[in-house]
PDB file of all heavy atoms in Angstrom:
ATOM      1  N   TRP A   1     -11.700  48.850 -26.064  1.00 98.00           N
ATOM      2  CA  TRP A   1     -12.858  48.016 -25.743  1.00 98.00           C
ATOM      3  C   TRP A   1     -12.411  46.865 -24.852  1.00 98.00           C
ATOM      4  O   TRP A   1     -11.268  46.403 -24.944  1.00 98.00           O
ATOM      5  CB  TRP A   1     -13.479  47.423 -27.000  1.00 98.00           C
ATOM      6  CG  TRP A   1     -14.059  48.393 -27.974  1.00 98.00           C
ATOM      7  CD1 TRP A   1     -14.103  49.751 -27.884  1.00 98.00           C
ATOM      8  CD2 TRP A   1     -14.691  48.061 -29.220  1.00 98.00           C
ATOM      9  NE1 TRP A   1     -14.709  50.285 -28.994  1.00 98.00           N
ATOM     10  CE2 TRP A   1     -15.084  49.271 -29.828  1.00 98.00           C
ATOM     11  CE3 TRP A   1     -14.958  46.865 -29.881  1.00 98.00           C
ATOM     12  CZ2 TRP A   1     -15.731  49.312 -31.065  1.00 98.00           C
ATOM     13  CZ3 TRP A   1     -15.606  46.890 -31.108  1.00 98.00           C
ATOM     14  CH2 TRP A   1     -15.995  48.116 -31.691  1.00 98.00           C
ATOM     15  N   LEU A   2     -13.301  46.407 -24.013  1.00 98.00           N
ATOM     16  CA  LEU A   2     -13.062  45.169 -23.276  1.00 98.00           C
ATOM     17  C   LEU A   2     -13.496  43.990 -24.144  1.00 98.00           C
ATOM     18  O   LEU A   2     -14.574  44.011 -24.739  1.00 98.00           O
ATOM     19  CB  LEU A   2     -13.835  45.155 -21.962  1.00 98.00           C
ATOM     20  CG  LEU A   2     -13.259  46.001 -20.827  1.00 98.00           C
ATOM     21  CD1 LEU A   2     -14.243  46.057 -19.660  1.00 98.00           C
ATOM     22  CD2 LEU A   2     -11.914  45.450 -20.355  1.00 98.00           C
ATOM     23  N   ALA A   3     -12.643  42.976 -24.204  1.00 97.00           N
ATOM     24  CA  ALA A   3     -12.936  41.812 -25.029  1.00 97.00           C
ATOM     25  C   ALA A   3     -13.974  40.922 -24.366  1.00 97.00           C
ATOM     26  O   ALA A   3     -14.212  40.982 -23.154  1.00 97.00           O
ATOM     27  CB  ALA A   3     -11.654  41.015 -25.281  1.00 97.00           C
ATOM     28  N   SER A   4     -14.584  40.077 -25.181  1.00 96.00           N
ATOM     29  CA  SER A   4     -15.557  39.106 -24.694  1.00 96.00           C
ATOM     30  C   SER A   4     -14.861  38.103 -23.783  1.00 96.00           C
ATOM     31  O   SER A   4     -14.043  37.305 -24.238  1.00 96.00           O
ATOM     32  CB  SER A   4     -16.183  38.386 -25.891  1.00 96.00           C
ATOM     33  OG  SER A   4     -16.946  37.279 -25.462  1.00 96.00           O
ATOM     34  N   ALA A   5     -15.192  38.144 -22.492  1.00 93.00           N
ATOM     35  CA  ALA A   5     -14.468  37.347 -21.497  1.00 93.00           C
ATOM     36  C   ALA A   5     -15.136  37.565 -20.139  1.00 93.00           C
ATOM     37  O   ALA A   5     -16.129  38.300 -20.039  1.00 93.00           O
ATOM     38  CB  ALA A   5     -12.995  37.778 -21.455  1.00 93.00           C
ATOM     39  N   PRO A   6     -14.607  36.971 -19.079  1.00 92.00           N
ATOM     40  CA  PRO A   6     -15.214  37.173 -17.753  1.00 92.00           C
ATOM     41  C   PRO A   6     -15.468  38.633 -17.352  1.00 92.00           C
ATOM     42  O   PRO A   6     -16.488  38.908 -16.698  1.00 92.00           O
ATOM     43  CB  PRO A   6     -14.201  36.503 -16.813  1.00 92.00           C
ATOM     44  CG  PRO A   6     -13.626  35.396 -17.643  1.00 92.00           C
ATOM     45  CD  PRO A   6     -13.529  35.966 -19.030  1.00 92.00           C
ATOM     46  N   PRO A   7     -14.608  39.613 -17.734  1.00 94.00           N
ATOM     47  CA  PRO A   7     -14.892  40.992 -17.328  1.00 94.00           C
ATOM     48  C   PRO A   7     -16.150  41.590 -17.934  1.00 94.00           C
ATOM     49  O   PRO A   7     -16.599  42.658 -17.500  1.00 94.00           O
ATOM     50  CB  PRO A   7     -13.644  41.754 -17.804  1.00 94.00           C
ATOM     51  CG  PRO A   7     -12.563  40.740 -17.858  1.00 94.00           C
ATOM     52  CD  PRO A   7     -13.253  39.491 -18.308  1.00 94.00           C
ATOM     53  N   THR A   8     -16.740  40.934 -18.944  1.00 97.00           N
ATOM     54  CA  THR A   8     -17.921  41.508 -19.594  1.00 97.00           C
ATOM     55  C   THR A   8     -19.121  40.572 -19.516  1.00 97.00           C
ATOM     56  O   THR A   8     -19.974  40.588 -20.396  1.00 97.00           O
ATOM     57  CB  THR A   8     -17.617  41.816 -21.080  1.00 97.00           C
ATOM     58  OG1 THR A   8     -17.301  40.585 -21.767  1.00 97.00           O
ATOM     59  CG2 THR A   8     -16.449  42.773 -21.211  1.00 97.00           C
ATOM     60  N   ASP A   9     -19.215  39.781 -18.447  1.00 96.00           N
ATOM     61  CA  ASP A   9     -20.252  38.747 -18.422  1.00 96.00           C
ATOM     62  C   ASP A   9     -21.555  39.177 -17.754  1.00 96.00           C
ATOM     63  O   ASP A   9     -22.504  38.410 -17.717  1.00 96.00           O
ATOM     64  CB  ASP A   9     -19.722  37.464 -17.777  1.00 96.00           C
ATOM     65  CG  ASP A   9     -19.620  37.561 -16.260  1.00 96.00           C
ATOM     66  OD1 ASP A   9     -19.542  38.693 -15.735  1.00 96.00           O
ATOM     67  OD2 ASP A   9     -19.617  36.505 -15.605  1.00 96.00           O
ATOM     68  N   LYS A  10     -21.604  40.407 -17.243  1.00 97.00           N
ATOM     69  CA  LYS A  10     -22.860  40.875 -16.651  1.00 97.00           C
ATOM     70  C   LYS A  10     -22.852  42.387 -16.546  1.00 97.00           C
ATOM     71  O   LYS A  10     -21.808  43.042 -16.646  1.00 97.00           O
ATOM     72  CB  LYS A  10     -23.113  40.240 -15.285  1.00 97.00           C
ATOM     73  CG  LYS A  10     -22.008  40.373 -14.278  1.00 97.00           C
ATOM     74  CD  LYS A  10     -22.354  39.604 -13.006  1.00 97.00           C
ATOM     75  CE  LYS A  10     -21.198  39.554 -12.028  1.00 97.00           C
ATOM     76  NZ  LYS A  10     -20.022  38.834 -12.579  1.00 97.00           N
ATOM     77  N   ALA A  11     -24.044  42.959 -16.304  1.00 98.00           N
ATOM     78  CA  ALA A  11     -24.202  44.406 -16.300  1.00 98.00           C
ATOM     79  C   ALA A  11     -23.327  45.078 -15.251  1.00 98.00           C
ATOM     80  O   ALA A  11     -22.757  46.151 -15.495  1.00 98.00           O
ATOM     81  CB  ALA A  11     -25.675  44.761 -16.068  1.00 98.00           C
ATOM     82  N   TYR A  12     -23.199  44.483 -14.078  1.00 98.00           N
ATOM     83  CA  TYR A  12     -22.418  45.115 -13.008  1.00 98.00           C
ATOM     84  C   TYR A  12     -21.000  45.412 -13.472  1.00 98.00           C
ATOM     85  O   TYR A  12     -20.487  46.516 -13.307  1.00 98.00           O
ATOM     86  CB  TYR A  12     -22.396  44.205 -11.772  1.00 98.00           C
ATOM     87  CG  TYR A  12     -21.587  44.762 -10.632  1.00 98.00           C
ATOM     88  CD1 TYR A  12     -22.147  45.673  -9.738  1.00 98.00           C
ATOM     89  CD2 TYR A  12     -20.248  44.395 -10.449  1.00 98.00           C
ATOM     90  CE1 TYR A  12     -21.403  46.200  -8.692  1.00 98.00           C
ATOM     91  CE2 TYR A  12     -19.488  44.918  -9.417  1.00 98.00           C
ATOM     92  CZ  TYR A  12     -20.073  45.814  -8.532  1.00 98.00           C
ATOM     93  OH  TYR A  12     -19.324  46.335  -7.510  1.00 98.00           O
ATOM     94  N   ASN A  13     -20.350  44.418 -14.081  1.00 98.00           N
ATOM     95  CA  ASN A  13     -18.987  44.615 -14.566  1.00 98.00           C
ATOM     96  C   ASN A  13     -18.929  45.665 -15.665  1.00 98.00           C
ATOM     97  O   ASN A  13     -18.049  46.532 -15.674  1.00 98.00           O
ATOM     98  CB  ASN A  13     -18.411  43.309 -15.124  1.00 98.00           C
ATOM     99  CG  ASN A  13     -18.421  42.181 -14.126  1.00 98.00           C
ATOM    100  OD1 ASN A  13     -19.485  41.731 -13.711  1.00 98.00           O
ATOM    101  ND2 ASN A  13     -17.247  41.698 -13.745  1.00 98.00           N
ATOM    102  N   VAL A  14     -19.841  45.559 -16.625  1.00 98.00           N
ATOM    103  CA  VAL A  14     -19.809  46.451 -17.779  1.00 98.00           C
ATOM    104  C   VAL A  14     -20.048  47.897 -17.368  1.00 98.00           C
ATOM    105  O   VAL A  14     -19.374  48.816 -17.845  1.00 98.00           O
ATOM    106  CB  VAL A  14     -20.840  45.996 -18.832  1.00 98.00           C
ATOM    107  CG1 VAL A  14     -20.954  47.021 -19.954  1.00 98.00           C
ATOM    108  CG2 VAL A  14     -20.448  44.636 -19.398  1.00 98.00           C
ATOM    109  N   VAL A  15     -20.969  48.121 -16.452  1.00 98.00           N
ATOM    110  CA  VAL A  15     -21.218  49.485 -15.970  1.00 98.00           C
ATOM    111  C   VAL A  15     -19.977  50.040 -15.274  1.00 98.00           C
ATOM    112  O   VAL A  15     -19.590  51.202 -15.470  1.00 98.00           O
ATOM    113  CB  VAL A  15     -22.444  49.517 -15.037  1.00 98.00           C
ATOM    114  CG1 VAL A  15     -22.553  50.860 -14.321  1.00 98.00           C
ATOM    115  CG2 VAL A  15     -23.716  49.242 -15.832  1.00 98.00           C
ATOM    116  N   ARG A  16     -19.330  49.218 -14.464  1.00 98.00           N
ATOM    117  CA  ARG A  16     -18.092  49.659 -13.816  1.00 98.00           C
ATOM    118  C   ARG A  16     -17.028  50.006 -14.863  1.00 98.00           C
ATOM    119  O   ARG A  16     -16.275  50.975 -14.712  1.00 98.00           O
ATOM    120  CB  ARG A  16     -17.555  48.571 -12.880  1.00 98.00           C
ATOM    121  CG  ARG A  16     -18.277  48.495 -11.548  1.00 98.00           C
ATOM    122  CD  ARG A  16     -17.703  47.383 -10.672  1.00 98.00           C
ATOM    123  NE  ARG A  16     -16.284  47.572 -10.379  1.00 98.00           N
ATOM    124  CZ  ARG A  16     -15.802  48.317  -9.379  1.00 98.00           C
ATOM    125  NH1 ARG A  16     -16.644  48.971  -8.593  1.00 98.00           N
ATOM    126  NH2 ARG A  16     -14.499  48.406  -9.170  1.00 98.00           N
ATOM    127  N   ALA A  17     -16.973  49.234 -15.919  1.00 98.00           N
ATOM    128  CA  ALA A  17     -16.005  49.501 -16.984  1.00 98.00           C
ATOM    129  C   ALA A  17     -16.312  50.837 -17.665  1.00 98.00           C
ATOM    130  O   ALA A  17     -15.403  51.638 -17.922  1.00 98.00           O
ATOM    131  CB  ALA A  17     -16.019  48.364 -17.999  1.00 98.00           C
ATOM    132  N   PHE A  18     -17.572  51.067 -17.965  1.00 98.00           N
ATOM    133  CA  PHE A  18     -17.942  52.331 -18.604  1.00 98.00           C
ATOM    134  C   PHE A  18     -17.695  53.513 -17.675  1.00 98.00           C
ATOM    135  O   PHE A  18     -17.253  54.580 -18.111  1.00 98.00           O
ATOM    136  CB  PHE A  18     -19.404  52.283 -19.047  1.00 98.00           C
ATOM    137  CG  PHE A  18     -19.656  51.423 -20.258  1.00 98.00           C
ATOM    138  CD1 PHE A  18     -20.945  51.010 -20.582  1.00 98.00           C
ATOM    139  CD2 PHE A  18     -18.617  51.031 -21.081  1.00 98.00           C
ATOM    140  CE1 PHE A  18     -21.181  50.224 -21.697  1.00 98.00           C
ATOM    141  CE2 PHE A  18     -18.836  50.236 -22.208  1.00 98.00           C
ATOM    142  CZ  PHE A  18     -20.122  49.840 -22.514  1.00 98.00           C
ATOM    143  N   GLU A  19     -17.957  53.344 -16.408  1.00 98.00           N
ATOM    144  CA  GLU A  19     -17.670  54.410 -15.445  1.00 98.00           C
ATOM    145  C   GLU A  19     -16.177  54.718 -15.383  1.00 98.00           C
ATOM    146  O   GLU A  19     -15.767  55.860 -15.166  1.00 98.00           O
ATOM    147  CB  GLU A  19     -18.179  54.015 -14.053  1.00 98.00           C
ATOM    148  CG  GLU A  19     -19.698  54.005 -13.937  1.00 98.00           C
ATOM    149  CD  GLU A  19     -20.188  53.440 -12.606  1.00 98.00           C
ATOM    150  OE1 GLU A  19     -19.386  52.785 -11.904  1.00 98.00           O
ATOM    151  OE2 GLU A  19     -21.383  53.648 -12.276  1.00 98.00           O
ATOM    152  N   ALA A  20     -15.358  53.684 -15.617  1.00 98.00           N
ATOM    153  CA  ALA A  20     -13.907  53.873 -15.596  1.00 98.00           C
ATOM    154  C   ALA A  20     -13.402  54.545 -16.866  1.00 98.00           C
ATOM    155  O   ALA A  20     -12.282  55.080 -16.874  1.00 98.00           O
ATOM    156  CB  ALA A  20     -13.213  52.526 -15.405  1.00 98.00           C
ATOM    157  N   GLY A  21     -14.202  54.512 -17.940  1.00 98.00           N
ATOM    158  CA  GLY A  21     -13.813  55.210 -19.156  1.00 98.00           C
ATOM    159  C   GLY A  21     -13.616  54.364 -20.396  1.00 98.00           C
ATOM    160  O   GLY A  21     -13.197  54.880 -21.438  1.00 98.00           O
ATOM    161  N   TRP A  22     -13.911  53.068 -20.328  1.00 98.00           N
ATOM    162  CA  TRP A  22     -13.746  52.217 -21.510  1.00 98.00           C
ATOM    163  C   TRP A  22     -14.692  52.664 -22.626  1.00 98.00           C
ATOM    164  O   TRP A  22     -15.850  53.001 -22.386  1.00 98.00           O
ATOM    165  CB  TRP A  22     -14.003  50.756 -21.154  1.00 98.00           C
ATOM    166  CG  TRP A  22     -12.921  50.197 -20.287  1.00 98.00           C
ATOM    167  CD1 TRP A  22     -12.852  50.241 -18.929  1.00 98.00           C
ATOM    168  CD2 TRP A  22     -11.712  49.560 -20.723  1.00 98.00           C
ATOM    169  NE1 TRP A  22     -11.683  49.659 -18.484  1.00 98.00           N
ATOM    170  CE2 TRP A  22     -10.960  49.223 -19.563  1.00 98.00           C
ATOM    171  CE3 TRP A  22     -11.192  49.221 -21.970  1.00 98.00           C
ATOM    172  CZ2 TRP A  22      -9.722  48.585 -19.632  1.00 98.00           C
ATOM    173  CZ3 TRP A  22      -9.962  48.579 -22.043  1.00 98.00           C
ATOM    174  CH2 TRP A  22      -9.241  48.272 -20.877  1.00 98.00           C
ATOM    175  N   GLY A  23     -14.201  52.606 -23.846  1.00 98.00           N
ATOM    176  CA  GLY A  23     -14.992  53.072 -24.972  1.00 98.00           C
ATOM    177  C   GLY A  23     -16.060  52.105 -25.432  1.00 98.00           C
ATOM    178  O   GLY A  23     -17.020  52.496 -26.094  1.00 98.00           O
ATOM    179  N   GLY A  24     -15.901  50.831 -25.091  1.00 98.00           N
ATOM    180  CA  GLY A  24     -16.887  49.841 -25.498  1.00 98.00           C
ATOM    181  C   GLY A  24     -16.588  48.493 -24.876  1.00 98.00           C
ATOM    182  O   GLY A  24     -15.548  48.308 -24.228  1.00 98.00           O
ATOM    183  N   VAL A  25     -17.503  47.576 -25.081  1.00 98.00           N
ATOM    184  CA  VAL A  25     -17.310  46.202 -24.604  1.00 98.00           C
ATOM    185  C   VAL A  25     -17.835  45.237 -25.660  1.00 98.00           C
ATOM    186  O   VAL A  25     -18.708  45.581 -26.456  1.00 98.00           O
ATOM    187  CB  VAL A  25     -18.037  45.908 -23.271  1.00 98.00           C
ATOM    188  CG1 VAL A  25     -17.568  46.834 -22.157  1.00 98.00           C
ATOM    189  CG2 VAL A  25     -19.545  45.968 -23.443  1.00 98.00           C
ATOM    190  N   VAL A  26     -17.266  44.050 -25.637  1.00 98.00           N
ATOM    191  CA  VAL A  26     -17.865  42.922 -26.345  1.00 98.00           C
ATOM    192  C   VAL A  26     -18.390  41.990 -25.260  1.00 98.00           C
ATOM    193  O   VAL A  26     -17.615  41.397 -24.506  1.00 98.00           O
ATOM    194  CB  VAL A  26     -16.835  42.196 -27.243  1.00 98.00           C
ATOM    195  CG1 VAL A  26     -17.528  41.067 -28.004  1.00 98.00           C
ATOM    196  CG2 VAL A  26     -16.177  43.170 -28.206  1.00 98.00           C
ATOM    197  N   TRP A  27     -19.711  41.933 -25.135  1.00 98.00           N
ATOM    198  CA  TRP A  27     -20.352  41.161 -24.065  1.00 98.00           C
ATOM    199  C   TRP A  27     -19.944  39.698 -24.165  1.00 98.00           C
ATOM    200  O   TRP A  27     -19.844  39.136 -25.255  1.00 98.00           O
ATOM    201  CB  TRP A  27     -21.865  41.284 -24.187  1.00 98.00           C
ATOM    202  CG  TRP A  27     -22.621  40.957 -22.930  1.00 98.00           C
ATOM    203  CD1 TRP A  27     -22.952  39.723 -22.476  1.00 98.00           C
ATOM    204  CD2 TRP A  27     -23.150  41.897 -21.986  1.00 98.00           C
ATOM    205  NE1 TRP A  27     -23.651  39.818 -21.302  1.00 98.00           N
ATOM    206  CE2 TRP A  27     -23.798  41.138 -20.969  1.00 98.00           C
ATOM    207  CE3 TRP A  27     -23.169  43.282 -21.892  1.00 98.00           C
ATOM    208  CZ2 TRP A  27     -24.442  41.738 -19.887  1.00 98.00           C
ATOM    209  CZ3 TRP A  27     -23.800  43.892 -20.817  1.00 98.00           C
ATOM    210  CH2 TRP A  27     -24.428  43.114 -19.831  1.00 98.00           C
ATOM    211  N   LYS A  28     -19.730  39.099 -23.008  1.00 97.00           N
ATOM    212  CA  LYS A  28     -19.276  37.718 -22.999  1.00 97.00           C
ATOM    213  C   LYS A  28     -20.202  36.821 -23.830  1.00 97.00           C
ATOM    214  O   LYS A  28     -21.416  36.957 -23.802  1.00 97.00           O
ATOM    215  CB  LYS A  28     -19.185  37.176 -21.574  1.00 97.00           C
ATOM    216  CG  LYS A  28     -18.584  35.780 -21.539  1.00 97.00           C
ATOM    217  CD  LYS A  28     -18.312  35.276 -20.143  1.00 97.00           C
ATOM    218  CE  LYS A  28     -17.703  33.892 -20.219  1.00 97.00           C
ATOM    219  NZ  LYS A  28     -17.454  33.282 -18.920  1.00 97.00           N
ATOM    220  N   THR A  29     -19.590  35.894 -24.536  1.00 95.00           N
ATOM    221  CA  THR A  29     -20.278  35.098 -25.553  1.00 95.00           C
ATOM    222  C   THR A  29     -21.568  34.460 -25.057  1.00 95.00           C
ATOM    223  O   THR A  29     -21.594  33.759 -24.039  1.00 95.00           O
ATOM    224  CB  THR A  29     -19.350  34.001 -26.086  1.00 95.00           C
ATOM    225  OG1 THR A  29     -18.123  34.599 -26.523  1.00 95.00           O
ATOM    226  CG2 THR A  29     -19.994  33.265 -27.250  1.00 95.00           C
ATOM    227  N   LEU A  30     -22.638  34.712 -25.813  1.00 96.00           N
ATOM    228  CA  LEU A  30     -23.950  34.135 -25.519  1.00 96.00           C
ATOM    229  C   LEU A  30     -24.187  32.908 -26.391  1.00 96.00           C
ATOM    230  O   LEU A  30     -23.709  32.824 -27.529  1.00 96.00           O
ATOM    231  CB  LEU A  30     -25.061  35.153 -25.800  1.00 96.00           C
ATOM    232  CG  LEU A  30     -24.935  36.551 -25.197  1.00 96.00           C
ATOM    233  CD1 LEU A  30     -26.193  37.355 -25.519  1.00 96.00           C
ATOM    234  CD2 LEU A  30     -24.709  36.482 -23.697  1.00 96.00           C
ATOM    235  N   GLY A  31     -24.946  31.982 -25.854  1.00 93.00           N
ATOM    236  CA  GLY A  31     -25.405  30.819 -26.610  1.00 93.00           C
ATOM    237  C   GLY A  31     -26.875  30.601 -26.350  1.00 93.00           C
ATOM    238  O   GLY A  31     -27.504  31.314 -25.559  1.00 93.00           O
ATOM    239  N   LEU A  32     -27.436  29.639 -27.013  1.00 93.00           N
ATOM    240  CA  LEU A  32     -28.841  29.302 -26.792  1.00 93.00           C
ATOM    241  C   LEU A  32     -29.007  28.532 -25.487  1.00 93.00           C
ATOM    242  O   LEU A  32     -28.084  27.852 -25.023  1.00 93.00           O
ATOM    243  CB  LEU A  32     -29.364  28.461 -27.963  1.00 93.00           C
ATOM    244  CG  LEU A  32     -29.433  29.179 -29.322  1.00 93.00           C
ATOM    245  CD1 LEU A  32     -29.733  28.181 -30.433  1.00 93.00           C
ATOM    246  CD2 LEU A  32     -30.481  30.291 -29.289  1.00 93.00           C
TER     247      LEU A  32
END
């Protein structure tokens, strides 16, 4: 999985990660 960090801060990055074969992501930390 990709950890919660800059590589998982938006859909573009996460989709590229999934296309590369990553099994999962922890989306970059959300707040109110």
